[in-house]
Structure formats: structure tokens, C-alpha cells
């Protein structure tokens, strides 16, 4: 095993431990029998971590004194009290991205999935494929896979992980197979311009042994050697596409030859695209097509990806993580294929900067909704910015309502009838709000 933080130290403290990506890293530490603890303002995921042996608190304590390594997320500001304390105590301090890179060193091969859309689904699909193939691997997933949760570990042959472009974190990873699902504009507050974002994706892909990239992309043109393309016209493409109630099946063609038929269990045409990328990456790592087929067909999805979460007054509730204009467009197409009756959309913007930077694209995507509410912004790590606020976005879309409370949502849905569908979109707390409405109905 390569010498790294996990071989040199025996105790790890996570600031923001209940976050999906952070809790996955904490679970890895627990699997190595390291002393693991941390803090979080939102303790909704603490019970499971505690059941695994982690010590979790609400923050504002001196609990980190008993740990050697302190890990923080980019959402934690430099003025955070616990981070200041860690510095004063001369602790080993690393970011989430750097610890992920340290984790990678413990595995023989790494598959890293990047891109603006679909990372969690594609990573989950790859985990399902490698499980079907009987491989020994770990999967670090940026969401709650219905099969693998956000972390799975059966051995050290392969490491399958999401590679996030936020603050260039994906450049910390050195992958053997690098997947780029898209280079659409996002997190522009972290890049000086769109060109810098494109260049970082190129750097991420170019240093891998094999790059898996969209056929119709600038990356496909810039990368010359060891590149595998997917999508229409690519090395891996779909033919004979059909669907039933939003679940698609297709013939997988590889370099012009049909190799197998695949019937997905998850809804949405966009998941063909994710499946093609997963198939290409798995093939690059030597997985057979029968195992690729078995894994893709058995993939049952991820929380907050076209997830049916129940009903309210005869209205079907569906939740999706879509928080980017392109993702919203895909979610609207998918819900129209499975919904009956009218569709009521409740969208919660995620961060003021994203709304501000992509304002016109949000207006264009959301203007396709006949019944639309823009719910208060989930600010995450940011401070209020009127130009990127939910109210400003609602004012920019003809006919859109604006809401700030659960009662506002219920009032908006009072126009819906039995058999209609409510689609809750966003990466913030709108998912839990929707679940609470169902639970308390």
C-alpha cells in the first residue's frame, strides 16, 4: 500500500461530516478501523454514521482535539471556528478533494467521472457494472444510490469516484480512466472564464490513460490518443431506441457493431447517455459486455433522480436533483413521459451565483412549465445577492409564482387535481420539504 495520510495517521475529524461526499470519506476511514468523528450543522445523517462507529456532534466544540487529521469541505469558510481551532493546534488539515486523492492511492486503478450533469448516476451505474462482474472495488458516490448508498467497499482493485469541478477539485485526482460527461458551464464563480473551465476539463482528461468523452465535444477534437467517444456518432452509441413509460431500451453499438441489447430500469432518455459513458469506461477497464449489460439493467437508480416520493391529496410527488438549466430541461422531458394529468413544477435555485451566471438559460428552461413556482434560494455557502435570487428569477418568468414557505407550496398545489403530478426540482432542501409534506399529509 502506498504511503499516504491513511497509512500515517489513525484518527480523522470531518467538518461537515454529514454531507454526502464527506460521509462517504468518513465511511472509508471507518472501514480502515480509523478513529472517525466530525461535526455538522445538519445532523440529519448522523444516526447512520454513529451506528457505524463515528462520533458526531453539532459543531462549536473542542472535539477535534482528539484527532490527528482535520478534513474540511469547500463549503466551510476559512473563518470557521473549528478550522481556526485546528490551525491553532497545528493539526494536519486537508480539503475534501485532497483526501479523496489520498484515498485513490490505495487502489490499483481509478475511474473518475466528471462533468456538469449525470456524475452520480454514471458513477452508480459503474458500481452496478463492477458488482455484476464480481470485481473488488470501492465506489465513492455523490448521492444516495439505492443499491450502494454513497459508499461501497469490497476490495482495492478499482476505485470508482465522482470528480467534481468545483474549485478545480477534479484536478487533484490522477485517474486511469477519466470520464467527462459534459463541459457545460457551471461553477463559473470558480473560473475566470468559460475557456479556463474547458482547459481544466482537458487537463483532467488528458493525463488519464484513457479518456471517455462525448463524441460531439471540443474535448473529442483536442484529445488525440487513447480517447473513446460516446453518444450519437461515437465509438459507443445507441440504436433501436424505444421506451415504455419513460424506461428506455436500446441496442449498444461499439465502433459500428451491435454488441448487446440493454433495457434500463431508470426513467429518462438522458440515462441512455449516462449508460453509454459507463459502458465505455467499463470496457476500457476490461469488463465484458455481458457483465456491462447485467450491471446497467440492474441499476435501480439514486435518490432525488426522478424519484417517486409519495402522494399528497391525490397528487403524485416526484423529486429530481436538477439544479442546472440543462438538467431541468432533461427532467421536464422525463416527467412528461411518465406523468398523468397536469404537471406542477416547484424549483428551488441552488446558490445565488449559479442563478445569476446562468439567468437567461434558467428562464428559457423554466418557461416551458405551464404551472411553475420558484421557491426561495438554497444559498449553501453564499451570501444574499438580489440579482441571483429566487424572487428575481420568478419575476423574470411570465406566470411564475414565488414561494417562501411550505404553506406557499400547498397553496400553489391547491389548483392541482387528483392524478396530477408535482415535480420538485433542486439540489437544496426542497427534497426534504416535499417528503415532509407527504409524511404529514
Amino acid at each position: 500500500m502506498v504511503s499516504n495520510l491513511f497509512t500515517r495517521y489513525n484518527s480523522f475529524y470531518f467538518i461537515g461530516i454529514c454531507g454526502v461526499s464527506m460521509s462517504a470519506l468518513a465511511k472509508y476511514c471507518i472501514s480502515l478501523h480509523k478513529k472517525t468523528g466530525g461535526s455538522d450543522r445538519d445532523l440529519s445523517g448522523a444516526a447512520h454514521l454513529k451506528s457505524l462507529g463515528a462520533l458526531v456532534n453539532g459543531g462549536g466544540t473542542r472535539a477535534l482535539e482528539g484527532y490527528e487529521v482535520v478534513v474540511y469541505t469547500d463549503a466551510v469558510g476559512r473563518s470557521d471556528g473549528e478550522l481556526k481551532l485546528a490551525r491553532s493546534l497545528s493539526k494536519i488539515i486537508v480539503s475534501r478533494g485532497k483526501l479523496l486523492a489520498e484515498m485513490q492511492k490505495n487502489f490499483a486503478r481509478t475511474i473518475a467521472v466528471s462533468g456538469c450533469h449525470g456524475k452520480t448516476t454514471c458513477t452508480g451505474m459503474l458500481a452496478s457494472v463492477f458488482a455484476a462482474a464480481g470485481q473488488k472495488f470501492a465506489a465513492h458516490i455523490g448521492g444516495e444510490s439505492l443499491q450502494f448508498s454513497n459508499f461501497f467497499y469490497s476490495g482495492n482493485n478499482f476505485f470508482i469516484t465522482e470528480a467534481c469541478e468545483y474549485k478545480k477539485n477534479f484536478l487533484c485526482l490522477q485517474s486511469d480512466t477519466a470520464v467527462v460527461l459534459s463541459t457545460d458551464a457551471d461553477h463559473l464563480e470558480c473560473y475566470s472564464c468559460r475557456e479556463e473551465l474547458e482547459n481544466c476539463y482537458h487537463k483532467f482528461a488528458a493525463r488519464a490513460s484513457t479518456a471517455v468523452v462525448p463524441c460531439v465535444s471540443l474535448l473529442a477534437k483536442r484529445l488525440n490518443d487513447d480517447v473513446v467517444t460516446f453518444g450519437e456518432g461515437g465509438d459507443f452509441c445507441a440504436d433501436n431506441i424505444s421506451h415504455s413509460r419513460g424506461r428506455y431500451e436500446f441496442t449498444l453499438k461499439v465502433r459500428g457493431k451491435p454488441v448487446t441489447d440493454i433495457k434500463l430500469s431508470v426513467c429518462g432518455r438522458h440515462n441512455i447517455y449516462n449508460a453509454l459513458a459507463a459502458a465505455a469506461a467499463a470496457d476500457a477497464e476490461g469488463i465484458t459486455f455481458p457483465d456491462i449489460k447485467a450491471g446497467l439493467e440492474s441499476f435501480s437508480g439514486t435518490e432525488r433522480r426522478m424519484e417517486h416520493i409519495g402522494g399528497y391529496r391525490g397528487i403524485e410527488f416526484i423529486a429530481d436533483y436538477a439544479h442546472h438549466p440543462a438538467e431541468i430541461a432533461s427532467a421536464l422531458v422525463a416527467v412528461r413521459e411518465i406523468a398523468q394529468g397536469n404537471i406542477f413544477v416547484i424549483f428551488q435555485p441552488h446558490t445565488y451565483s449559479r442563478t445569476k451566471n446562468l439567468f437567461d438559460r434558467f428562464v428559457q428552461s423554466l418557461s416551458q412549465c405551464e404551472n411553475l413556482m420558484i421557491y426561495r434560494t438554497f444559498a449553501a455557502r453564499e451570501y444574499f445577492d438580489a440579482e441571483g435570487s429566487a424572487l428575481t428569477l420568478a419575476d423574470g418568468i411570465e406566470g411564475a409564482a414565488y414561494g417562501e414557505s411550505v404553506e406557499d407550496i400547498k397553496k400553489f398545489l391547491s389548483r392541482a387535481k387528483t392524478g396530477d403530478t408535482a415535480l420538485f426540482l433542486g439540489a437544496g432542501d426542497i427534497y426534504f420539504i416535499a417528503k415532509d409534506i407527504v409524511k404529514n399529509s
Side-chain angles (χ1 to χ4, degrees):
M1 183 178 290
V2 176
S3 176
N4 58 27
L5 289 177
F6 295 105
T7 58
R8 297 196 298 272
Y9 301 102
N10 291 310
S11 55
F12 293 77
Y13 185 91
F14 295 82
I15 303 175
I17 192 171
C18 293
V20 178
S21 184
M22 287 284 272
S23 65
L25 290 171
K27 290 175 184 178
Y28 178 64
C29 289
I30 294 169
S31 74
L32 297 179
H33 306 291
K34 305 292 184 181
K35 178 183 176 182
T36 305
S39 62
D40 209 303
R41 289 175 295 177
D42 179 6
L43 296 175
S44 56
H48 180 59
L49 286 169
K50 288 179 178 179
S51 72
L52 297 175
L55 302 173
V56 184
N57 66 81
T61 70
R62 298 181 67 89
L64 62 77
E65 290 182 346
Y67 296 81
E68 298 161 291
V69 180
V70 175
V71 188
Y72 67 94
T73 69
D74 288 315
V76 174
R78 292 188 62 81
S79 61
D80 178 82
E82 285 189 302
L83 203 52
K84 284 183 175 180
L85 177 60
R87 292 191 198 100
S88 71
L89 295 173
S90 299
K91 299 292 184 180
I92 305 300
I93 302 173
V94 296
S95 67
R96 183 206 65 84
K98 292 289 178 64
L99 189 69
L100 188 65
E102 290 288 297
M103 178 177 173
Q104 172 200 336
K105 296 176 183 177
N106 290 338
F107 296 85
R109 295 189 64 81
T110 296
I111 306 167
V113 181
S114 72
C116 183
H117 323 297
K119 290 189 294 293
T120 296
T121 295
C122 186
T123 304
M125 284 179 168
L126 279 166
S128 186
V129 167
F130 277 70
Q135 296 292 329
K136 300 298 183 182
F137 71 98
H140 174 266
I141 304 172
E144 291 292 338
S145 165
L146 300 181
Q147 294 159 279
F148 304 100
S149 185
N150 62 341
F151 176 71
F152 176 82
Y153 182 44
S154 64
N156 287 28
N157 290 345
F158 295 94
F159 180 44
I160 304 168
T161 182
E162 290 191 31
C164 181
E165 75 275 17
Y166 181 63
K167 291 195 174 180
K168 304 178 183 178
N169 278 321
F170 62 161
L171 296 182
C172 295
L173 294 168
Q174 178 62 58
S175 49
D176 296 287
T177 296
V179 179
V180 180
L181 295 170
S182 71
T183 59
D184 205 352
D186 198 12
H187 297 304
L188 293 179
E189 73 278 13
C190 304
Y191 296 87
S192 61
C193 61
R194 175 63 186 269
E195 184 179 5
E196 185 188 14
L197 174 62
E198 290 274 3
N199 286 338
C200 285
Y201 273 115
H202 178 262
K203 185 176 181 180
F204 166 76
R207 63 189 188 186
S209 300
T210 302
V212 177
V213 304
C215 179
V216 183
S217 69
L218 180 62
L219 271 179
K221 297 176 182 178
R222 293 179 67 181
L223 294 165
N224 296 318
D225 300 323
D226 297 312
V227 62
V228 179
T229 60
F230 65 94
E232 186 174 356
D235 297 319
F236 282 67
C237 64
D239 197 11
N240 303 319
I241 299 171
S242 63
H243 77 91
S244 175
R245 292 295 305 277
R247 289 176 170 82
Y248 281 80
E249 52 186 298
F250 61 95
T251 298
L252 174 63
K253 294 181 70 174
V254 179
R255 298 175 181 87
K257 297 180 180 180
V259 295
T260 189
D261 293 328
I262 294 173
K263 187 175 183 179
L264 298 176
S265 300
V266 288
C267 292
R269 187 183 180 97
H270 59 281
N271 281 315
I272 296 177
Y273 189 80
N274 294 325
L276 292 174
D283 175 66
E285 292 295 336
I287 307 300
T288 67
F289 288 114
D291 287 332
I292 289 172
K293 171 184 171 68
L296 291 177
E297 292 190 338
S298 63
F299 174 68
S300 57
T302 308
E303 283 187 359
R304 303 182 73 165
R305 272 69 177 180
M306 297 307 295
E307 180 189 357
H308 291 256
I309 57 176
Y312 165 73
R313 293 178 50 247
I315 309 164
E316 184 70 21
F317 275 26
I318 297 176
D320 195 272
Y321 200 69
H323 56 288
H324 183 282
E327 295 166 351
I328 291 169
S330 293
L332 292 176
V333 170
V335 77
R336 286 171 184 141
E337 291 176 339
I338 62 176
Q340 298 178 347
N342 295 315
I343 300 171
F344 290 75
V345 177
I346 300 94
F347 170 63
Q348 181 185 46
H350 188 271
T351 71
Y352 299 106
S353 60
R354 179 181 286 113
T355 306
K356 182 177 179 179
N357 290 330
L358 303 175
F359 191 89
D360 290 341
R361 293 185 62 185
F362 275 115
V363 170
Q364 183 179 12
S365 293
L366 292 165
S367 292
Q368 307 303 312
C369 305
E370 293 182 3
N371 305 288
L372 173 67
M373 167 174 278
I374 307 296
Y375 194 68
R376 57 171 171 76
T377 299
F378 188 83
R381 53 195 169 264
E382 297 183 346
Y383 295 105
F384 178 77
D385 183 343
E387 290 185 69
S389 72
L391 179 58
T392 300
L393 180 60
D395 288 342
I397 302 173
E398 185 177 354
Y402 172 73
E404 289 190 342
S405 67
V406 172
E407 291 307 313
D408 288 338
I409 294 175
K410 290 180 178 179
K411 183 178 179 181
F412 171 68
L413 293 177
S414 65
R415 296 186 285 118
K417 300 177 182 178
T418 298
D420 287 346
T421 298
L423 175 63
F424 291 82
L425 298 175
D429 59 359
I430 192 67
Y431 174 71
F432 303 103
I433 292 170
K435 293 190 78 171
D436 283 344
I437 292 174
V438 170
K439 180 180 179 181
N440 298 320
S441 63

